[in-house]
């Protein structure tokens, strides 16, 4: 898959394309439906290149940073998932206030016509674009008729639920990781490099792999979960009990992080290893215990329940 990070990167001899546009944060089932339709349309038209146009940073982070949603996927993960979905090329547009000022017709001409030579454009039915989000699918279709490309607006329904990044975030806020997984078509996953923590888990008999969560990245609600930890250097996956939060039982301000205890393993060397932590089911919310004894007793139960959950889901 080709990755272009500016308009200058797009080959000057690029042939006709089918283009789909959006933030694609999370690559949930609604996004996947749009991507599948883009490929179907390309096959019908005899076009070989399906191109995704996405934005970095998220437009809201530029226009209204105080309202910017936490990201479900980094741009690197987004590109990887798009590649796995069979996309031929991704244009990652550096979004700024200059681009935000473009009228819908400016956007169409500069991006779809001049840069990408679109034969067809496939977007979600609720797609908005251009200055003040003045453009919609109807406008895009009208201009497309004049410029010589087709437009398809795809509904993002998932039964009674409309799949959206907002819906996935709402699931995570309540700890509903199974609901998030249903919308994503895969478990919600946090990726990061394991860092040295305060090693309290090791002292209590439950050594954990600690992954900090960036302030702008989505994570499940504070609590304890059953899930999997996967080493990206070897591909090995391990069942895990996962804690999300700041561990309120112990004093002192700490950054929020994801701590994974690999079930029945204390021999793994994971420091500085990049890992994926995938969430299967929430076991309980975060609790501040009165002492270490009560904490350890509950951790025993967390591990038991995590094991049972993962065996059932296997």
């Amino acid at each position: 898959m080709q990755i272009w990070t500016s308009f200058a990167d797009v080959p000057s001899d690029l042939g006709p394309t089918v283009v789909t546009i959006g933030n694609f944060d999370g690559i949930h089932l609604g996004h996947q439906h749009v991507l599948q339709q883009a490929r179907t349309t390309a096959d019908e038209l005899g076009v070989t290149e399906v191109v995704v146009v996405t934005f970095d940073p998220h437009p809201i982070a530029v226009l209204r940073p105080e309202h910017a949603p936490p990201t479900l996927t980094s741009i690197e993960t987004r590109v990887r998932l798009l590649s796995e979905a069979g996309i031929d090329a991704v244009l990652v547009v550096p979004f700024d206030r200059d681009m935000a000022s473009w009228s819908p017709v400016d956007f169409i001409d500069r991006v779809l016509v001049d840069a990408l030579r679109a034969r067809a454009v496939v977007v979600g039915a609720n797609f908005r674009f251009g200055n003040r989000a003045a453009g919609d699918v109807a406008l895009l279709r009208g201009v497309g008729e004049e410029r010589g490309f087709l437009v398809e607006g795809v509904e993002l329904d998932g039964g009674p639920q409309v799949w959206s990044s907002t819906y996935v975030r709402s699931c995570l806020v309540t700890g509903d990781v199974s609901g998030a997984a249903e919308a994503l078509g895969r478990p919600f996953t946090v990726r990061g490099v394991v860092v040295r923590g305060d090693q309290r888990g090791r002292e209590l008999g439950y050594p954990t792999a600690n992954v900090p969560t960036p302030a702008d990245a989505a994570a499940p609600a504070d609590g304890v979960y059953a899930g999997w930890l996967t080493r990206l250097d070897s591909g090995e996956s391990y069942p895990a009990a996962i804690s999300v939060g700041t561990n309120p039982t112990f004093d002192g301000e700490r950054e929020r992080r994801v701590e994974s205890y690999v079930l029945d393993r204390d021999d793994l060397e994971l420091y500085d290893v990049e890992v994926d932590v995938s969430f299967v089911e929430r076991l309980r919310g975060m609790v501040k215990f009165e002492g270490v004894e009560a904490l350890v007793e509950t951790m025993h139960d967390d591990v038991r329940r995590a094991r049972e959950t993962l065996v059932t889901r296997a």
Side-chain angles (χ1 to χ4, degrees), residues 3-294:
I3 303 170
W4 307 318
T5 57
S6 71
F7 294 114
D9 290 344
V10 180
S12 58
D13 60 350
L14 181 68
T17 65
V18 171
V19 180
T20 182
I21 315 162
N23 291 309
F24 289 100
D25 188 19
I27 317 293
H28 53 67
L29 292 180
H31 293 144
Q32 293 170 43
H33 189 189
V34 172
L35 298 174
Q36 291 164 3
Q37 184 57 51
R39 174 58 65 190
T40 297
T41 298
D43 291 344
E44 291 172 349
L45 295 175
V47 173
T48 59
E49 296 286 323
V50 174
V51 179
V52 165
V53 176
T54 191
F55 306 95
D56 188 41
H58 193 294
I60 295 179
V62 173
L63 301 175
R64 293 185 295 163
E66 69 279 10
H67 296 294
T71 57
L72 298 170
T73 47
S74 67
I75 191 65
E76 294 79 13
T77 297
R78 209 181 313 167
V79 167
R80 174 176 57 82
L81 291 171
L82 289 169
S83 177
E84 292 173 1
I87 296 305
D88 301 297
V90 177
L91 172 58
V92 182
V93 177
F95 191 87
D96 55 22
R97 287 192 172 274
D98 176 61
M99 172 167 278
S101 72
W102 293 3
S103 72
V105 174
D106 284 339
F107 182 91
I108 291 169
D109 286 340
R110 295 189 192 192
V111 179
L112 301 177
V113 178
D114 296 341
L116 298 179
R117 301 169 177 80
R119 280 281 309 281
V121 178
V122 181
V123 293
N126 61 349
F127 177 64
R128 308 288 302 203
F129 66 105
N131 184 242
R132 299 183 181 277
D136 58 11
V137 173
L139 185 148
L140 184 60
R141 184 174 288 115
V143 177
E145 291 175 357
E146 298 173 1
R147 303 294 195 270
F149 61 83
L150 304 173
V151 173
E152 295 181 61
V154 179
E155 295 292 340
L156 305 184
D157 292 346
Q161 176 61 51
V162 175
W163 301 135
S164 70
S165 302
T166 299
Y167 174 74
V168 176
R169 294 187 193 99
S170 72
C171 289
L172 296 177
V173 165
T174 62
D176 182 11
V177 292
S178 58
E182 182 183 10
L184 291 167
R186 64 184 187 282
F188 176 76
T189 300
V190 169
R191 174 170 291 193
V193 175
V194 177
V195 302
R196 291 185 181 274
D198 48 34
Q199 302 207 344
R200 286 199 181 96
R202 185 173 297 276
E203 294 170 2
L204 299 174
Y206 294 99
T208 57
N210 303 321
V211 177
T213 58
D216 62 348
D222 289 3
V224 177
Y225 299 81
W228 296 86
L229 181 142
T230 302
R231 301 179 60 128
L232 298 188
D233 58 353
S234 67
E236 294 172 283
S237 292
Y238 309 101
I242 306 161
S243 172
V244 179
T246 59
N247 201 339
T249 299
F250 300 97
D251 295 332
E253 292 294 326
R254 300 194 329 173
E255 65 185 346
R256 191 165 185 256
R257 59 192 178 187
V258 173
E259 303 183 60
S260 303
Y261 167 65
V262 175
L263 303 188
D264 308 317
R265 297 291 296 270
D266 59 7
D267 60 330
L268 298 175
E269 293 295 333
L270 294 173
Y271 292 131
D272 300 321
V273 174
E274 189 173 23
V275 299
D276 275 347
V277 180
S278 302
F279 296 83
V280 173
E281 185 172 302
R282 193 179 202 212
L283 302 178
R284 64 172 173 87
M286 188 59 69
V287 177
K288 182 174 182 178
F289 295 93
E290 293 301 320
V292 172
E293 184 176 334

